[in-house]
Amino acid sequence: MAALPRRIIKETQRLMQEPVPGISAVPDDSNARYFHVIVTGPEDSPFEGGLFKLELFLPEDYPMSAPKVRFITKIYHPNIDRLGRICLDILKDKWSPALQIRTVLLSIQALLSAPNPDDPLANDVAELWKVNESEAIRNAKEWTRRYAMDN
Amino acid sequence: MENPRNVGSQVGESDMECSDNDNDCFDDDDYYNAVDDNDIEQIDPCKLDPENFNYQCLGEEQVERLLNESVEYLSYNLKITPSLAKVLLLSHQWRVNKIIEKYRKDASDLLITSRIKPPVTPPSLPVSRYITCPVCVIPQPSEKFFSLSCAHLFCKDCWVTHFEVQINQGISTAISCMARDCVVLAPEDFVLKHLSRPNLREKYQQFTFQDYVKSHPELRFCPGPNCPIVVHSSENKAKRAICSNCKTVFCFQCGMDYHAPTECSIIKKWLTKCADDSETANYISAHTKDCPECHICIEKNGGCNHMQCYNCKHDFCWMCLGDWKSHGSEYYECSRYRENPNIAHESVHAQAREALKKYLHYYERWENHSKSLKLEEQTLENLRSRINQKVMAGVGTWIDWQYLFTAASLLAKCRYTLQYTYPYAYYMDVGPRKELFEYQQAQLEAEIENLSWKIERAETTDRGDLENQMDIAEKRRTTLLKDFLDF
Ligand SMILES: [Zn+2]
Ligand SMILES: [Zn+2]
Ligand SMILES: [Zn+2]
Ligand SMILES: [Zn+2]
Ligand SMILES: [Zn+2]
Ligand SMILES: [Zn+2]
């Protein structure tokens, strides 16, 4: 494997020294491009109290290409599908090489605080979120309790 | 609105003179004397031939030259680089005069909305000797740094990798600055200045060329597989273009298979519907049906829908299984769908059933004519080999039999149009216009089946008789197109 680019080393160091509040991102022992991520459910959101596991991978051409991020913990959210894939513009066409792992994780945290059912990835969830928000929020809380609190 | 007119009655008197060219198969003067259209209409070539379309098939170099004319003109007039001219042309669909007009009115606004300049002029920062690149975080001497008009500095290596990654994703004219939320585009000369690998430069230029052609309202890539031809026409209309290189026939406007008289948006809707409902419609694709008279199993092996039972000689219609006698007359109803006039008062289930029935009626006919086209191709192949044998055996010459091939290609052209009348009718509102359309469609269908019947029995059919039938079918086709192909 090629030497780790200075950019990735710098980012990793900073993530360790000044972690983002509510987020932990630790590189894998055997692969410095693979991060084990845990995001705390934001306060006043249906995900409050939950700990959500994610995986983040920096592809070969990072930072020219966006990191690949996926939820491992099941989550009831209009912009996150059954496979944990996330619908977030900066992970796709709005990606800029000047963005960092830190900014990506902050955006994901913000997405948990403010779901956007108008740009859905999980259509059934988004549909319910639009027509009956209180029931959708109840489901999200129930899923958080069931899948994100046991560990 | 014009009344349905019986063009066929005039045909008996006309002479077929030009059977070698299936585009002008009938005598225009005779046709125009027969109907009471006035003389003014003859000036417009579209009135004579509703499918008339002026276009040229261009090779890559010719397209390059055509595009460059606009680039040079704009770059000369606005005193900007050809690269920036290209950015402007691409975002304005190559409307040169529109761009010049906008530039004269508010140059800065034009450059900002075209993503050549940033919305706010960047502050001029004092440049130190060493800079840390925000992307690779490597400090380097300032000569190694470059920026677009937005002044976002990045090192050369990062620009190069950025371009490589973008180009490998097929992105070329849309490559933008690397800074967060910066929308300034990297013009061609900036990209090429940094790219050194020849295959990447070539790829980049190939992609930009595609973007330029796709953004140009007068240019269309031939949709044929691996065909390099670009069709050029000054009228952006749903007209028939035929590629001079690979012979693909397509609609200039949407690039799909030619679909007159149906509009681009309607044919798209129809094809999507057919794909979505393919399971429902599957049961239709039967190759055998029972004779409605003696119930013996009949296999369809030709394109003609006028069937004759080999057992009891009963003549019937493959589509509706009705007696063929009723199909040859004015009362031909096979193509028409009779809607239930009281459907609005029926239950939801009944309405859904009715909607499905209606769709299947049109789909079945659409699909059947498409199959007939293929079967008739086989018929033509068989004909070709039989004629070959005849010529070898000294029965006539190739020239003598040529009219049969002309007839077969005319049949294909007519049936093709007929196939595309079904989506048109499906989406039409009930009313007098639909009645007129279905009347003409029925007339066309009846004559096409007559022609197909005669071609299948070509060697025993009288040549004059066959040529009359060709004339009638083509007249029906153009009449329908003249009345319903509107732009
Ligand atoms: Zn750099
Ligand atoms: Zn910029
Ligand atoms: Zn072609
Ligand atoms: Zn079209
Ligand atoms: Zn029979
Ligand atoms: Zn019929």
Side-chain angles (χ1 to χ4, degrees):
Chain A
M1 188 189 240
L4 208 56
R6 184 181 163 88
R7 157 84 185 243
I8 295 178
I9 297 169
K10 286 275 175 198
E11 274 200 71
T12 310
Q13 282 171 355
R14 185 154 171 241
L15 276 171
M16 298 307 180
Q17 284 156 10
E18 325 157 30
V20 190
I23 298 173
S24 98
V26 182
D28 188 81
D29 292 336
S30 61
N31 186 346
R33 289 177 174 269
Y34 185 97
F35 289 75
H36 302 270
V37 178
I38 294 169
V39 174
T40 330
E43 271 175 44
D44 301 322
S45 80
F47 312 103
E48 186 173 353
L51 290 177
F52 297 88
K53 267 199 220 169
L54 291 86
E55 56 178 353
L56 183 147
F57 179 70
L58 304 176
E60 193 53 47
D61 45 18
Y62 179 83
M64 300 310 165
S65 294
K68 307 213 175 305
V69 199
R70 188 178 77 88
F71 271 82
I72 294 172
T73 306
K74 278 184 76 147
I75 180 165
Y76 193 87
H77 191 290
N79 310 107
I80 300 161
D81 74 2
R82 272 175 233 287
L83 298 172
R85 292 175 301 193
I86 309 161
C87 182
L88 190 60
D89 56 356
I90 60 159
L91 291 178
K92 291 168 194 157
D93 53 322
K94 288 283 169 356
W95 172 253
S96 143
L99 292 167
Q100 301 179 9
I101 301 173
R102 173 181 296 271
T103 28
V104 167
L105 295 177
L106 279 167
S107 301
I108 291 171
Q109 203 180 35
L111 195 64
L112 295 188
S113 295
N116 176 13
D118 292 323
D119 184 17
L121 193 59
N123 274 308
D124 46 335
V125 179
E127 200 50 44
L128 188 64
W129 217 283
K130 274 197 275 195
V131 299
N132 189 348
E133 195 178 340
S134 58
E135 195 191 328
I137 288 175
R138 226 177 7 257
N139 287 347
K141 283 184 179 161
E142 170 59 21
W143 281 42
T144 303
R145 200 187 52 73
R146 204 185 317 163
Y147 303 111
M149 287 187 186
D150 281 344
N151 40 8
Chain B
M1 189 181 292
E2 289 164 283
N3 290 319
R5 47 202 188 216
N6 192 345
V7 182
S9 63
Q10 309 298 332
V11 172
E13 298 132 37
S14 80
D15 289 316
M16 284 290 296
E17 284 176 352
C18 44
S19 54
D20 54 341
N21 182 347
D22 63 6
N23 280 317
D24 325 300
C25 254
F26 56 84
D27 189 340
D28 291 324
D29 288 331
D30 194 33
Y31 179 71
Y32 274 89
N33 292 337
V35 291
D36 49 13
D37 287 340
N38 50 37
D39 292 337
I40 306 156
E41 284 195 318
Q42 298 195 16
I43 298 164
D44 181 358
C46 280
K47 291 283 177 186
L48 286 172
D49 174 9
E51 293 174 298
N52 177 70
F53 183 47
N54 286 321
Y55 64 92
Q56 302 89 44
C57 293
L58 308 179
E60 198 173 317
E61 277 160 42
Q62 289 166 296
V63 180
E64 220 55 275
R65 221 174 297 146
L66 189 131
L67 296 174
N68 273 334
E69 273 172 34
S70 300
V71 173
E72 277 162 27
Y73 180 79
L74 189 66
S75 127
Y76 174 78
N77 270 275
L78 303 187
K79 307 278 176 285
I80 54 172
T81 63
S83 267
L84 290 185
K86 284 183 184 175
V87 176
L88 288 172
L89 286 163
L90 187 75
S91 60
H92 288 83
Q93 291 75 47
W94 298 77
R95 285 172 301 176
V96 182
N97 293 325
K98 181 91 198 155
I99 299 170
I100 295 179
E101 188 190 306
K102 276 185 165 181
Y103 189 85
R104 300 267 139 87
K105 226 167 107 197
D106 188 344
S108 169
D109 181 66
L110 174 71
L111 295 178
I112 291 167
T113 52
S114 305
R115 300 169 62 187
I116 290 173
K117 280 173 92 181
V120 276
T121 322
S124 50
L125 293 169
V127 176
S128 47
R129 250 184 62 65
Y130 268 81
I131 305 173
T132 300
C133 173
V135 169
C136 62
V137 293
I138 297 172
Q140 289 183 81
S142 58
E143 315 79 91
K144 290 238 177 180
F145 283 77
F146 298 90
S147 79
L148 295 167
S149 63
C150 52
H152 293 125
L153 285 169
F154 300 97
C155 77
K156 184 187 160 82
D157 292 344
C158 282
W159 278 117
V160 173
T161 342
H162 177 52
F163 295 151
E164 280 180 7
V165 168
Q166 297 284 304
I167 294 164
N168 283 326
Q169 286 170 22
I171 302 166
S172 61
T173 55
I175 300 179
S176 63
C177 170
M178 283 187 280
R180 183 176 186 180
D181 296 330
C182 181
V183 294
V184 174
L185 291 171
E188 221 174 82
D189 55 356
F190 187 83
V191 177
L192 289 173
K193 186 173 84 182
H194 295 287
L195 281 185
S196 50
R197 279 167 51 197
N199 69 332
L200 215 59
R201 291 175 71 91
E202 202 178 294
K203 231 177 176 179
Y204 174 72
Q205 277 160 321
Q206 197 185 317
F207 290 149
T208 54
F209 179 73
Q210 281 172 9
D211 286 358
Y212 296 143
V213 171
K214 282 180 189 154
S215 68
H216 202 301
E218 294 182 2
L219 298 176
R220 208 67 82 238
F221 274 113
C222 166
N226 301 320
C227 182
I229 292 295
V230 173
V231 176
H232 175 228
S233 173
S234 51
E235 31 179 5
N236 188 2
K237 287 179 178 170
K239 293 272 194 165
R240 180 178 56 199
I242 304 166
C243 174
S244 60
N245 176 47
C246 71
K247 311 292 173 228
T248 298
V249 181
F250 63 99
C251 165
F252 182 76
Q253 189 152 282
C254 69
M256 287 193 283
D257 287 348
Y258 180 60
H259 49 70
T262 309
E263 280 171 46
C264 301
S265 58
I266 300 284
I267 196 66
K268 206 171 157 199
K269 214 156 114 186
W270 171 256
L271 292 173
T272 314
K273 182 168 177 57
C274 290
D276 291 350
D277 297 353
S278 61
E279 270 173 50
T280 330
N282 257 351
Y283 80 94
I284 292 170
S285 21
H287 281 286
T288 58
K289 285 183 181 176
D290 292 348
C291 165
E293 203 62 23
C294 72
H295 308 290
I296 202 161
C297 183
I298 308 252
E299 191 184 355
K300 190 168 189 286
N301 47 22
C304 185
N305 293 301
H306 171 184
M307 306 298 289
Q308 192 178 47
C309 172
Y310 64 86
N311 184 40
C312 72
K313 304 293 175 219
H314 174 59
D315 288 285
F316 67 98
C317 164
W318 178 262
M319 279 314 309
C320 65
L321 297 178
D323 196 317
W324 189 259
K325 279 196 218 93
S326 67
H327 286 66
S329 71
E330 286 289 303
Y331 307 104
Y332 185 97
E333 290 278 285
C334 181
S335 51
R336 187 185 319 241
Y337 181 72
R338 299 202 156 279
E339 296 202 38
N340 177 352
N342 297 316
I343 193 66
H345 308 293
E346 304 275 344
S347 71
V348 179
H349 282 298
Q351 288 186 16
R353 249 198 325 273
E354 177 76 12
L356 180 66
K357 224 172 94 195
K358 178 182 167 186
Y359 165 66
L360 288 177
H361 173 92
Y362 289 99
Y363 177 78
E364 203 172 352
R365 279 152 182 82
W366 153 270
E367 177 66 12
N368 188 57
H369 288 301
S370 153
K371 274 190 198 144
S372 285
L373 269 171
K374 290 193 192 95
L375 289 166
E376 279 159 355
E377 242 169 68
Q378 281 170 26
T379 308
L380 181 62
E381 271 317 302
N382 297 340
L383 198 65
R384 213 186 289 281
S385 66
R386 283 205 306 276
I387 288 175
N388 204 9
Q389 284 166 12
K390 278 182 205 273
V391 173
M392 293 310 169
V395 187
T397 65
W398 276 108
I399 304 288
D400 291 338
W401 294 106
Q402 197 55 44
Y403 76 99
L404 273 181
F405 297 118
T406 313
S409 77
L410 181 99
L411 170 65
K413 189 162 94 171
C414 288
R415 196 182 286 288
Y416 189 89
T417 301
L418 178 61
Q419 186 194 346
Y420 281 84
T421 59
Y422 281 99
Y424 189 100
Y426 176 76
Y427 289 107
M428 259 182 132
D429 292 328
V430 178
R433 192 165 161 79
K434 182 165 186 176
E435 269 168 41
L436 174 66
F437 183 81
E438 290 187 321
Y439 174 83
Q440 296 197 4
Q441 181 189 40
Q443 298 273 299
L444 174 62
E445 182 151 323
E447 298 308 345
I448 286 174
E449 298 308 345
N450 284 342
L451 181 59
S452 183
W453 176 267
K454 283 177 179 162
I455 290 174
E456 279 183 11
R457 291 152 188 80
E459 288 117 309
T460 53
T461 306
D462 175 61
R463 174 169 174 176
D465 187 22
L466 183 69
E467 286 175 342
N468 269 341
Q469 192 56 46
M470 289 162 66
D471 195 20
I472 298 171
E474 176 62 7
K475 274 184 179 165
R476 293 269 195 257
R477 192 181 81 89
T478 38
T479 303
L480 184 141
L481 289 179
K482 270 178 199 160
D483 290 348
F484 291 93
L485 194 60
D486 39 20
F487 298 108

